[in-house]
Amino acid sequence: MNDGEHDLGKRQIGVVEDRDDPEKLGRCRVRIFGVHTDDLIAIPTEDLPWAISIYSVNNNDSFAAPKEGEYVFGFFLDGSFCQSPAILGVIPGI
């Protein structure tokens, strides 16, 4: 992939580690499998980029960030740069 190209087709799955968004925008920090190591020393939670959640245009303006420990599905808005994650949904689980 060339610099500046976007691969929005590559989907990612990760686990939410933090949702205490200082800007109160509903963002959360997600450790994305295959992108971020699971070593919390190498990449601490506070070093993960903030992920935005994408909501339906039919949303009634009420939403909540996914909770810590939940698995989420999404992609990177900036393609292979992997610094602007976007969440499309939460994967139900135990």
Side-chain angles (χ1 to χ4, degrees):
M1 178 176 294
N2 297 328
D3 286 341
E5 268 188 59
H6 297 293
D7 182 9
L8 298 180
K10 187 172 183 180
R11 308 308 192 287
Q12 303 291 339
I13 295 174
V15 63
V16 175
E17 291 191 1
D18 176 20
R19 64 182 189 139
D20 189 19
D21 180 2
E23 296 183 20
K24 308 294 184 218
L25 299 174
R27 302 176 302 169
C28 56
R29 289 184 168 129
V30 179
R31 188 167 302 271
I32 299 168
F33 306 133
V35 175
H36 305 119
T37 176
D38 59 357
D39 181 346
L40 297 177
I41 302 298
I43 303 177
T45 300
E46 58 269 10
D47 288 348
L48 295 172
W50 287 105
I52 62 164
S53 292
I54 297 176
Y55 298 98
S56 166
V57 295
N58 296 321
N59 186 344
N60 64 0
D61 292 330
S62 65
F63 62 89
K67 297 176 181 74
E68 288 89 346
E70 289 186 319
Y71 287 84
V72 293
F73 170 81
F75 65 97
F76 286 101
L77 294 169
D78 60 347
S80 63
F81 295 108
C82 300
Q83 294 302 304
S84 296
I87 297 169
L88 293 173
V90 177
I91 301 170
I94 299 173

